[in-house]
Amino acid sequence: MNRMCESVLAVCLALAGCAAVAAGPVAVDVGHFLEKPGATSAYGVTEFEYNQNLAAVIATRLEADGVPVRLIGYKGEMADLYARAPQAEAAGGQFFLSVHHDSVKAEYQQTWLVDGKEQRYSEYARGFSLFVSRKNPRLAESLACASSIGAALRAAGLKPTPHHAEAAGIGRPWADETNGVYYYDNLVVLKTSTVPAVLLEAGVIVHPAEAIELATPERRALTANAVSKGLRTCGVTAGR
């Protein structure tokens, strides 16, 4: 963790600022929607399906900890990204987690046949990443929680991907390189949220091996457990 992130997390925890993040439910946002389901895996499965399945496991894990959860966009009906954060906050959400799965730029992809259909895949990158927006009014808490989730994912044996920083022309600046956290200021669900907000890319679904892993109950449970641990560490669900 870089010095800025260490300072943010230490101050937040010392002042109990993080513990005040979630007096109410945690909003778990299912990234994308049915009409525009996001990336496509190496095997032709939509990102929305991955997001929906993982979000449900995360919600179940948090509820088992006694944390109230509000699922946002679970049925795939929410085409208006600007409506997501307000809906979460109207439902009492005091922390916003948007669940996604990742891809890579087209020039790093190749084609292959899966069940007779052409699909695209890439072994260029694999691993998780997290994003926060400097336009979110609760940046310090957002970053502390993103770092905590990233640290929990690493402790569980997963590795962050550096490819968002490496991508030519759209390289994202690191917020916490050790724990896989980037700044992405204009992500709508992050910048429009008035509560702390983090976007999780759980892994790279165009990577053939990781796409299979990400679809397993074991990997989803591992990710959900890390999210739960991270939110406790940064104070969102502490004391529940």
Side-chain angles (χ1 to χ4, degrees), residues 109-141:
Q109 298 180 21
Q110 305 172 63
T111 60
W112 66 348
L113 291 178
V114 178
D115 296 330
K117 294 183 179 180
E118 186 177 277
Q119 305 291 349
R120 300 186 68 84
Y121 77 97
S122 174
E123 295 182 333
Y124 174 72
R126 64 180 298 168
F128 71 87
S129 52
L130 299 116
F131 297 86
V132 296
S133 171
R134 286 172 288 197
K135 294 182 179 180
N136 181 287
R138 306 281 290 276
L139 172 60
E141 294 146 300

PDB file of all heavy atoms in Angstrom, residues 109-141:
ATOM      1  N   GLN A 109      -6.959  -9.331 -28.134  1.00  0.00           N
ATOM      2  CA  GLN A 109      -7.830 -10.496 -28.216  1.00  0.00           C
ATOM      3  C   GLN A 109      -7.607 -11.282 -29.507  1.00  0.00           C
ATOM      4  O   GLN A 109      -7.171 -10.732 -30.523  1.00  0.00           O
ATOM      5  CB  GLN A 109      -9.291 -10.053 -28.132  1.00  0.00           C
ATOM      6  CG  GLN A 109      -9.653  -9.370 -26.821  1.00  0.00           C
ATOM      7  CD  GLN A 109     -11.108  -8.955 -26.769  1.00  0.00           C
ATOM      8  OE1 GLN A 109     -11.946  -9.481 -27.504  1.00  0.00           O
ATOM      9  NE2 GLN A 109     -11.425  -8.005 -25.898  1.00  0.00           N
ATOM     10  N   GLN A 110      -7.917 -12.575 -29.436  1.00  0.00           N
ATOM     11  CA  GLN A 110      -7.876 -13.462 -30.585  1.00  0.00           C
ATOM     12  C   GLN A 110      -9.224 -14.176 -30.690  1.00  0.00           C
ATOM     13  O   GLN A 110     -10.049 -14.105 -29.781  1.00  0.00           O
ATOM     14  CB  GLN A 110      -6.753 -14.492 -30.416  1.00  0.00           C
ATOM     15  CG  GLN A 110      -5.380 -13.884 -30.165  1.00  0.00           C
ATOM     16  CD  GLN A 110      -4.354 -14.946 -29.827  1.00  0.00           C
ATOM     17  OE1 GLN A 110      -4.049 -15.822 -30.646  1.00  0.00           O
ATOM     18  NE2 GLN A 110      -3.822 -14.900 -28.608  1.00  0.00           N
ATOM     19  N   THR A 111      -9.436 -14.853 -31.792  1.00  0.00           N
ATOM     20  CA  THR A 111     -10.689 -15.582 -31.971  1.00  0.00           C
ATOM     21  C   THR A 111     -10.445 -17.087 -31.897  1.00  0.00           C
ATOM     22  O   THR A 111      -9.363 -17.577 -32.224  1.00  0.00           O
ATOM     23  CB  THR A 111     -11.354 -15.243 -33.311  1.00  0.00           C
ATOM     24  OG1 THR A 111     -10.463 -15.582 -34.384  1.00  0.00           O
ATOM     25  CG2 THR A 111     -11.701 -13.768 -33.378  1.00  0.00           C
ATOM     26  N   TRP A 112     -11.456 -17.796 -31.440  1.00  0.00           N
ATOM     27  CA  TRP A 112     -11.451 -19.252 -31.449  1.00  0.00           C
ATOM     28  C   TRP A 112     -12.886 -19.734 -31.540  1.00  0.00           C
ATOM     29  O   TRP A 112     -13.817 -18.938 -31.436  1.00  0.00           O
ATOM     30  CB  TRP A 112     -10.703 -19.835 -30.255  1.00  0.00           C
ATOM     31  CG  TRP A 112     -11.315 -19.580 -28.890  1.00  0.00           C
ATOM     32  CD1 TRP A 112     -12.320 -18.724 -28.560  1.00  0.00           C
ATOM     33  CD2 TRP A 112     -10.927 -20.215 -27.674  1.00  0.00           C
ATOM     34  NE1 TRP A 112     -12.586 -18.768 -27.220  1.00  0.00           N
ATOM     35  CE2 TRP A 112     -11.749 -19.680 -26.638  1.00  0.00           C
ATOM     36  CE3 TRP A 112      -9.981 -21.175 -27.340  1.00  0.00           C
ATOM     37  CZ2 TRP A 112     -11.630 -20.089 -25.301  1.00  0.00           C
ATOM     38  CZ3 TRP A 112      -9.869 -21.565 -26.006  1.00  0.00           C
ATOM     39  CH2 TRP A 112     -10.683 -21.027 -25.009  1.00  0.00           C
ATOM     40  N   LEU A 113     -13.060 -21.028 -31.767  1.00  0.00           N
ATOM     41  CA  LEU A 113     -14.391 -21.601 -31.882  1.00  0.00           C
ATOM     42  C   LEU A 113     -14.770 -22.299 -30.578  1.00  0.00           C
ATOM     43  O   LEU A 113     -14.004 -23.098 -30.038  1.00  0.00           O
ATOM     44  CB  LEU A 113     -14.458 -22.597 -33.041  1.00  0.00           C
ATOM     45  CG  LEU A 113     -14.360 -21.999 -34.455  1.00  0.00           C
ATOM     46  CD1 LEU A 113     -14.402 -23.121 -35.485  1.00  0.00           C
ATOM     47  CD2 LEU A 113     -15.484 -20.996 -34.719  1.00  0.00           C
ATOM     48  N   VAL A 114     -15.965 -21.966 -30.095  1.00  0.00           N
ATOM     49  CA  VAL A 114     -16.517 -22.608 -28.902  1.00  0.00           C
ATOM     50  C   VAL A 114     -17.900 -23.131 -29.276  1.00  0.00           C
ATOM     51  O   VAL A 114     -18.797 -22.352 -29.611  1.00  0.00           O
ATOM     52  CB  VAL A 114     -16.623 -21.627 -27.722  1.00  0.00           C
ATOM     53  CG1 VAL A 114     -17.254 -22.315 -26.516  1.00  0.00           C
ATOM     54  CG2 VAL A 114     -15.251 -21.067 -27.366  1.00  0.00           C
ATOM     55  N   ASP A 115     -18.057 -24.445 -29.273  1.00  0.00           N
ATOM     56  CA  ASP A 115     -19.319 -25.071 -29.676  1.00  0.00           C
ATOM     57  C   ASP A 115     -19.763 -24.591 -31.058  1.00  0.00           C
ATOM     58  O   ASP A 115     -20.942 -24.320 -31.307  1.00  0.00           O
ATOM     59  CB  ASP A 115     -20.418 -24.787 -28.646  1.00  0.00           C
ATOM     60  CG  ASP A 115     -20.114 -25.415 -27.295  1.00  0.00           C
ATOM     61  OD1 ASP A 115     -19.453 -26.467 -27.278  1.00  0.00           O
ATOM     62  OD2 ASP A 115     -20.530 -24.855 -26.269  1.00  0.00           O
ATOM     63  N   GLY A 116     -18.799 -24.453 -31.952  1.00  0.00           N
ATOM     64  CA  GLY A 116     -19.092 -24.078 -33.324  1.00  0.00           C
ATOM     65  C   GLY A 116     -19.289 -22.596 -33.556  1.00  0.00           C
ATOM     66  O   GLY A 116     -19.546 -22.177 -34.687  1.00  0.00           O
ATOM     67  N   LYS A 117     -19.173 -21.778 -32.507  1.00  0.00           N
ATOM     68  CA  LYS A 117     -19.354 -20.334 -32.648  1.00  0.00           C
ATOM     69  C   LYS A 117     -18.035 -19.609 -32.373  1.00  0.00           C
ATOM     70  O   LYS A 117     -17.284 -19.992 -31.474  1.00  0.00           O
ATOM     71  CB  LYS A 117     -20.427 -19.827 -31.682  1.00  0.00           C
ATOM     72  CG  LYS A 117     -21.819 -20.346 -31.983  1.00  0.00           C
ATOM     73  CD  LYS A 117     -22.833 -19.734 -31.023  1.00  0.00           C
ATOM     74  CE  LYS A 117     -24.241 -20.231 -31.325  1.00  0.00           C
ATOM     75  NZ  LYS A 117     -25.241 -19.637 -30.392  1.00  0.00           N
ATOM     76  N   GLU A 118     -17.795 -18.562 -33.157  1.00  0.00           N
ATOM     77  CA  GLU A 118     -16.570 -17.792 -32.959  1.00  0.00           C
ATOM     78  C   GLU A 118     -16.699 -16.911 -31.724  1.00  0.00           C
ATOM     79  O   GLU A 118     -17.663 -16.163 -31.570  1.00  0.00           O
ATOM     80  CB  GLU A 118     -16.290 -16.925 -34.187  1.00  0.00           C
ATOM     81  CG  GLU A 118     -14.945 -16.204 -34.111  1.00  0.00           C
ATOM     82  CD  GLU A 118     -14.648 -15.413 -35.376  1.00  0.00           C
ATOM     83  OE1 GLU A 118     -14.164 -16.024 -36.348  1.00  0.00           O
ATOM     84  OE2 GLU A 118     -14.939 -14.197 -35.383  1.00  0.00           O
ATOM     85  N   GLN A 119     -15.738 -17.009 -30.838  1.00  0.00           N
ATOM     86  CA  GLN A 119     -15.674 -16.182 -29.643  1.00  0.00           C
ATOM     87  C   GLN A 119     -14.306 -15.521 -29.579  1.00  0.00           C
ATOM     88  O   GLN A 119     -13.368 -15.935 -30.267  1.00  0.00           O
ATOM     89  CB  GLN A 119     -15.916 -17.016 -28.376  1.00  0.00           C
ATOM     90  CG  GLN A 119     -17.196 -17.812 -28.371  1.00  0.00           C
ATOM     91  CD  GLN A 119     -18.440 -16.944 -28.281  1.00  0.00           C
ATOM     92  OE1 GLN A 119     -18.374 -15.737 -28.020  1.00  0.00           O
ATOM     93  NE2 GLN A 119     -19.604 -17.548 -28.492  1.00  0.00           N
ATOM     94  N   ARG A 120     -14.194 -14.518 -28.723  1.00  0.00           N
ATOM     95  CA  ARG A 120     -12.930 -13.808 -28.563  1.00  0.00           C
ATOM     96  C   ARG A 120     -12.349 -14.115 -27.184  1.00  0.00           C
ATOM     97  O   ARG A 120     -13.078 -14.193 -26.195  1.00  0.00           O
ATOM     98  CB  ARG A 120     -13.127 -12.303 -28.737  1.00  0.00           C
ATOM     99  CG  ARG A 120     -13.683 -11.941 -30.114  1.00  0.00           C
ATOM    100  CD  ARG A 120     -13.726 -10.436 -30.330  1.00  0.00           C
ATOM    101  NE  ARG A 120     -12.392  -9.863 -30.426  1.00  0.00           N
ATOM    102  CZ  ARG A 120     -11.657  -9.829 -31.540  1.00  0.00           C
ATOM    103  NH1 ARG A 120     -12.143 -10.330 -32.667  1.00  0.00           N
ATOM    104  NH2 ARG A 120     -10.461  -9.281 -31.543  1.00  0.00           N
ATOM    105  N   TYR A 121     -11.038 -14.269 -27.149  1.00  0.00           N
ATOM    106  CA  TYR A 121     -10.368 -14.557 -25.887  1.00  0.00           C
ATOM    107  C   TYR A 121      -9.019 -13.859 -25.845  1.00  0.00           C
ATOM    108  O   TYR A 121      -8.521 -13.354 -26.872  1.00  0.00           O
ATOM    109  CB  TYR A 121     -10.172 -16.070 -25.710  1.00  0.00           C
ATOM    110  CG  TYR A 121      -9.034 -16.639 -26.535  1.00  0.00           C
ATOM    111  CD1 TYR A 121      -7.766 -16.838 -25.977  1.00  0.00           C
ATOM    112  CD2 TYR A 121      -9.213 -16.973 -27.884  1.00  0.00           C
ATOM    113  CE1 TYR A 121      -6.724 -17.345 -26.728  1.00  0.00           C
ATOM    114  CE2 TYR A 121      -8.181 -17.478 -28.638  1.00  0.00           C
ATOM    115  CZ  TYR A 121      -6.935 -17.669 -28.057  1.00  0.00           C
ATOM    116  OH  TYR A 121      -5.899 -18.162 -28.820  1.00  0.00           O
ATOM    117  N   SER A 122      -8.424 -13.821 -24.659  1.00  0.00           N
ATOM    118  CA  SER A 122      -7.104 -13.217 -24.511  1.00  0.00           C
ATOM    119  C   SER A 122      -6.444 -13.748 -23.248  1.00  0.00           C
ATOM    120  O   SER A 122      -7.100 -13.906 -22.212  1.00  0.00           O
ATOM    121  CB  SER A 122      -7.205 -11.693 -24.409  1.00  0.00           C
ATOM    122  OG  SER A 122      -5.933 -11.125 -24.132  1.00  0.00           O
ATOM    123  N   GLU A 123      -5.166 -14.002 -23.329  1.00  0.00           N
ATOM    124  CA  GLU A 123      -4.380 -14.377 -22.156  1.00  0.00           C
ATOM    125  C   GLU A 123      -3.466 -13.232 -21.730  1.00  0.00           C
ATOM    126  O   GLU A 123      -2.547 -13.418 -20.934  1.00  0.00           O
ATOM    127  CB  GLU A 123      -3.565 -15.637 -22.449  1.00  0.00           C
ATOM    128  CG  GLU A 123      -4.449 -16.860 -22.697  1.00  0.00           C
ATOM    129  CD  GLU A 123      -3.654 -18.127 -22.949  1.00  0.00           C
ATOM    130  OE1 GLU A 123      -2.503 -18.010 -23.429  1.00  0.00           O
ATOM    131  OE2 GLU A 123      -4.181 -19.216 -22.671  1.00  0.00           O
ATOM    132  N   TYR A 124      -3.784 -12.039 -22.215  1.00  0.00           N
ATOM    133  CA  TYR A 124      -2.960 -10.856 -21.916  1.00  0.00           C
ATOM    134  C   TYR A 124      -3.017 -10.477 -20.442  1.00  0.00           C
ATOM    135  O   TYR A 124      -2.024 -10.039 -19.861  1.00  0.00           O
ATOM    136  CB  TYR A 124      -3.420  -9.690 -22.791  1.00  0.00           C
ATOM    137  CG  TYR A 124      -2.754  -8.376 -22.476  1.00  0.00           C
ATOM    138  CD1 TYR A 124      -1.423  -8.154 -22.808  1.00  0.00           C
ATOM    139  CD2 TYR A 124      -3.462  -7.350 -21.847  1.00  0.00           C
ATOM    140  CE1 TYR A 124      -0.809  -6.941 -22.516  1.00  0.00           C
ATOM    141  CE2 TYR A 124      -2.857  -6.140 -21.564  1.00  0.00           C
ATOM    142  CZ  TYR A 124      -1.530  -5.940 -21.895  1.00  0.00           C
ATOM    143  OH  TYR A 124      -0.931  -4.742 -21.599  1.00  0.00           O
ATOM    144  N   ALA A 125      -4.184 -10.619 -19.831  1.00  0.00           N
ATOM    145  CA  ALA A 125      -4.328 -10.174 -18.440  1.00  0.00           C
ATOM    146  C   ALA A 125      -5.324 -11.056 -17.713  1.00  0.00           C
ATOM    147  O   ALA A 125      -6.258 -11.602 -18.312  1.00  0.00           O
ATOM    148  CB  ALA A 125      -4.801  -8.717 -18.390  1.00  0.00           C
ATOM    149  N   ARG A 126      -5.115 -11.172 -16.401  1.00  0.00           N
ATOM    150  CA  ARG A 126      -6.081 -11.820 -15.525  1.00  0.00           C
ATOM    151  C   ARG A 126      -5.926 -11.188 -14.143  1.00  0.00           C
ATOM    152  O   ARG A 126      -4.922 -10.548 -13.845  1.00  0.00           O
ATOM    153  CB  ARG A 126      -5.870 -13.332 -15.461  1.00  0.00           C
ATOM    154  CG  ARG A 126      -4.559 -13.783 -14.862  1.00  0.00           C
ATOM    155  CD  ARG A 126      -4.435 -15.308 -14.842  1.00  0.00           C
ATOM    156  NE  ARG A 126      -5.470 -15.909 -14.010  1.00  0.00           N
ATOM    157  CZ  ARG A 126      -5.735 -17.219 -14.009  1.00  0.00           C
ATOM    158  NH1 ARG A 126      -5.068 -18.042 -14.809  1.00  0.00           N
ATOM    159  NH2 ARG A 126      -6.670 -17.712 -13.219  1.00  0.00           N
ATOM    160  N   GLY A 127      -6.927 -11.345 -13.301  1.00  0.00           N
ATOM    161  CA  GLY A 127      -6.845 -10.796 -11.951  1.00  0.00           C
ATOM    162  C   GLY A 127      -7.916  -9.753 -11.686  1.00  0.00           C
ATOM    163  O   GLY A 127      -8.617  -9.299 -12.593  1.00  0.00           O
ATOM    164  N   PHE A 128      -8.032  -9.341 -10.438  1.00  0.00           N
ATOM    165  CA  PHE A 128      -9.057  -8.393 -10.024  1.00  0.00           C
ATOM    166  C   PHE A 128      -8.544  -6.955 -10.080  1.00  0.00           C
ATOM    167  O   PHE A 128      -7.340  -6.702 -10.157  1.00  0.00           O
ATOM    168  CB  PHE A 128      -9.530  -8.706  -8.593  1.00  0.00           C
ATOM    169  CG  PHE A 128      -8.509  -8.380  -7.526  1.00  0.00           C
ATOM    170  CD1 PHE A 128      -8.437  -7.098  -6.974  1.00  0.00           C
ATOM    171  CD2 PHE A 128      -7.625  -9.344  -7.059  1.00  0.00           C
ATOM    172  CE1 PHE A 128      -7.495  -6.792  -5.993  1.00  0.00           C
ATOM    173  CE2 PHE A 128      -6.692  -9.049  -6.074  1.00  0.00           C
ATOM    174  CZ  PHE A 128      -6.624  -7.765  -5.546  1.00  0.00           C
ATOM    175  N   SER A 129      -9.467  -6.013 -10.032  1.00  0.00           N
ATOM    176  CA  SER A 129      -9.130  -4.596  -9.881  1.00  0.00           C
ATOM    177  C   SER A 129     -10.308  -3.901  -9.202  1.00  0.00           C
ATOM    178  O   SER A 129     -11.432  -4.393  -9.214  1.00  0.00           O
ATOM    179  CB  SER A 129      -8.806  -3.945 -11.230  1.00  0.00           C
ATOM    180  OG  SER A 129      -9.833  -4.180 -12.178  1.00  0.00           O
ATOM    181  N   LEU A 130     -10.016  -2.753  -8.602  1.00  0.00           N
ATOM    182  CA  LEU A 130     -11.040  -1.942  -7.949  1.00  0.00           C
ATOM    183  C   LEU A 130     -10.865  -0.492  -8.384  1.00  0.00           C
ATOM    184  O   LEU A 130      -9.754  -0.059  -8.704  1.00  0.00           O
ATOM    185  CB  LEU A 130     -10.938  -2.052  -6.430  1.00  0.00           C
ATOM    186  CG  LEU A 130     -11.134  -3.462  -5.869  1.00  0.00           C
ATOM    187  CD1 LEU A 130      -9.841  -3.935  -5.197  1.00  0.00           C
ATOM    188  CD2 LEU A 130     -12.294  -3.535  -4.901  1.00  0.00           C
ATOM    189  N   PHE A 131     -11.973   0.245  -8.372  1.00  0.00           N
ATOM    190  CA  PHE A 131     -11.954   1.629  -8.843  1.00  0.00           C
ATOM    191  C   PHE A 131     -12.689   2.543  -7.869  1.00  0.00           C
ATOM    192  O   PHE A 131     -13.709   2.159  -7.288  1.00  0.00           O
ATOM    193  CB  PHE A 131     -12.610   1.727 -10.224  1.00  0.00           C
ATOM    194  CG  PHE A 131     -11.888   0.955 -11.290  1.00  0.00           C
ATOM    195  CD1 PHE A 131     -12.155  -0.388 -11.487  1.00  0.00           C
ATOM    196  CD2 PHE A 131     -10.922   1.564 -12.072  1.00  0.00           C
ATOM    197  CE1 PHE A 131     -11.480  -1.118 -12.442  1.00  0.00           C
ATOM    198  CE2 PHE A 131     -10.234   0.836 -13.037  1.00  0.00           C
ATOM    199  CZ  PHE A 131     -10.515  -0.505 -13.225  1.00  0.00           C
ATOM    200  N   VAL A 132     -12.145   3.750  -7.727  1.00  0.00           N
ATOM    201  CA  VAL A 132     -12.809   4.814  -6.973  1.00  0.00           C
ATOM    202  C   VAL A 132     -12.761   6.084  -7.812  1.00  0.00           C
ATOM    203  O   VAL A 132     -11.926   6.220  -8.709  1.00  0.00           O
ATOM    204  CB  VAL A 132     -12.150   5.050  -5.601  1.00  0.00           C
ATOM    205  CG1 VAL A 132     -12.271   3.829  -4.711  1.00  0.00           C
ATOM    206  CG2 VAL A 132     -10.680   5.452  -5.755  1.00  0.00           C
ATOM    207  N   SER A 133     -13.668   7.006  -7.511  1.00  0.00           N
ATOM    208  CA  SER A 133     -13.724   8.276  -8.242  1.00  0.00           C
ATOM    209  C   SER A 133     -13.349   9.428  -7.323  1.00  0.00           C
ATOM    210  O   SER A 133     -13.884   9.539  -6.208  1.00  0.00           O
ATOM    211  CB  SER A 133     -15.139   8.512  -8.789  1.00  0.00           C
ATOM    212  OG  SER A 133     -15.255   9.831  -9.309  1.00  0.00           O
ATOM    213  N   ARG A 134     -12.465  10.299  -7.812  1.00  0.00           N
ATOM    214  CA  ARG A 134     -12.109  11.494  -7.044  1.00  0.00           C
ATOM    215  C   ARG A 134     -13.217  12.531  -7.061  1.00  0.00           C
ATOM    216  O   ARG A 134     -13.138  13.538  -6.364  1.00  0.00           O
ATOM    217  CB  ARG A 134     -10.792  12.074  -7.586  1.00  0.00           C
ATOM    218  CG  ARG A 134      -9.583  11.238  -7.181  1.00  0.00           C
ATOM    219  CD  ARG A 134      -8.301  11.679  -7.847  1.00  0.00           C
ATOM    220  NE  ARG A 134      -8.290  11.330  -9.259  1.00  0.00           N
ATOM    221  CZ  ARG A 134      -7.195  11.297 -10.026  1.00  0.00           C
ATOM    222  NH1 ARG A 134      -6.015  11.600  -9.498  1.00  0.00           N
ATOM    223  NH2 ARG A 134      -7.265  10.970 -11.294  1.00  0.00           N
ATOM    224  N   LYS A 135     -14.278  12.262  -7.846  1.00  0.00           N
ATOM    225  CA  LYS A 135     -15.447  13.140  -7.843  1.00  0.00           C
ATOM    226  C   LYS A 135     -16.492  12.720  -6.806  1.00  0.00           C
ATOM    227  O   LYS A 135     -17.487  13.414  -6.611  1.00  0.00           O
ATOM    228  CB  LYS A 135     -16.077  13.179  -9.241  1.00  0.00           C
ATOM    229  CG  LYS A 135     -15.172  13.820 -10.284  1.00  0.00           C
ATOM    230  CD  LYS A 135     -15.838  13.888 -11.644  1.00  0.00           C
ATOM    231  CE  LYS A 135     -14.912  14.556 -12.663  1.00  0.00           C
ATOM    232  NZ  LYS A 135     -15.527  14.634 -14.021  1.00  0.00           N
ATOM    233  N   ASN A 136     -16.255  11.581  -6.177  1.00  0.00           N
ATOM    234  CA  ASN A 136     -17.142  11.149  -5.100  1.00  0.00           C
ATOM    235  C   ASN A 136     -16.825  11.961  -3.854  1.00  0.00           C
ATOM    236  O   ASN A 136     -15.660  12.087  -3.477  1.00  0.00           O
ATOM    237  CB  ASN A 136     -16.940   9.654  -4.834  1.00  0.00           C
ATOM    238  CG  ASN A 136     -17.851   9.133  -3.741  1.00  0.00           C
ATOM    239  OD1 ASN A 136     -17.647   9.423  -2.569  1.00  0.00           O
ATOM    240  ND2 ASN A 136     -18.844   8.354  -4.111  1.00  0.00           N
ATOM    241  N   PRO A 137     -17.838  12.522  -3.182  1.00  0.00           N
ATOM    242  CA  PRO A 137     -17.567  13.382  -2.017  1.00  0.00           C
ATOM    243  C   PRO A 137     -17.014  12.622  -0.817  1.00  0.00           C
ATOM    244  O   PRO A 137     -16.543  13.252   0.131  1.00  0.00           O
ATOM    245  CB  PRO A 137     -18.945  13.987  -1.705  1.00  0.00           C
ATOM    246  CG  PRO A 137     -19.932  13.015  -2.261  1.00  0.00           C
ATOM    247  CD  PRO A 137     -19.289  12.466  -3.496  1.00  0.00           C
ATOM    248  N   ARG A 138     -17.065  11.302  -0.846  1.00  0.00           N
ATOM    249  CA  ARG A 138     -16.552  10.491   0.266  1.00  0.00           C
ATOM    250  C   ARG A 138     -15.351   9.672  -0.220  1.00  0.00           C
ATOM    251  O   ARG A 138     -15.271   8.462   0.010  1.00  0.00           O
ATOM    252  CB  ARG A 138     -17.664   9.580   0.805  1.00  0.00           C
ATOM    253  CG  ARG A 138     -18.948  10.297   1.198  1.00  0.00           C
ATOM    254  CD  ARG A 138     -18.878  10.972   2.539  1.00  0.00           C
ATOM    255  NE  ARG A 138     -18.836   9.991   3.618  1.00  0.00           N
ATOM    256  CZ  ARG A 138     -19.917   9.411   4.137  1.00  0.00           C
ATOM    257  NH1 ARG A 138     -21.129   9.696   3.662  1.00  0.00           N
ATOM    258  NH2 ARG A 138     -19.797   8.556   5.128  1.00  0.00           N
ATOM    259  N   LEU A 139     -14.422  10.359  -0.879  1.00  0.00           N
ATOM    260  CA  LEU A 139     -13.286   9.667  -1.494  1.00  0.00           C
ATOM    261  C   LEU A 139     -12.438   8.932  -0.470  1.00  0.00           C
ATOM    262  O   LEU A 139     -12.026   7.791  -0.705  1.00  0.00           O
ATOM    263  CB  LEU A 139     -12.417  10.650  -2.283  1.00  0.00           C
ATOM    264  CG  LEU A 139     -11.090  10.088  -2.824  1.00  0.00           C
ATOM    265  CD1 LEU A 139     -11.333   8.932  -3.776  1.00  0.00           C
ATOM    266  CD2 LEU A 139     -10.275  11.183  -3.491  1.00  0.00           C
ATOM    267  N   ALA A 140     -12.121   9.570   0.649  1.00  0.00           N
ATOM    268  CA  ALA A 140     -11.223   8.942   1.620  1.00  0.00           C
ATOM    269  C   ALA A 140     -11.773   7.602   2.086  1.00  0.00           C
ATOM    270  O   ALA A 140     -11.047   6.604   2.160  1.00  0.00           O
ATOM    271  CB  ALA A 140     -11.005   9.869   2.812  1.00  0.00           C
ATOM    272  N   GLU A 141     -13.067   7.557   2.382  1.00  0.00           N
ATOM    273  CA  GLU A 141     -13.679   6.311   2.827  1.00  0.00           C
ATOM    274  C   GLU A 141     -13.780   5.299   1.683  1.00  0.00           C
ATOM    275  O   GLU A 141     -13.577   4.094   1.882  1.00  0.00           O
ATOM    276  CB  GLU A 141     -15.055   6.591   3.420  1.00  0.00           C
ATOM    277  CG  GLU A 141     -14.985   7.407   4.698  1.00  0.00           C
ATOM    278  CD  GLU A 141     -16.170   8.342   4.835  1.00  0.00           C
ATOM    279  OE1 GLU A 141     -16.356   9.210   3.962  1.00  0.00           O
ATOM    280  OE2 GLU A 141     -16.907   8.180   5.812  1.00  0.00           O
TER     281      GLU A 141
END
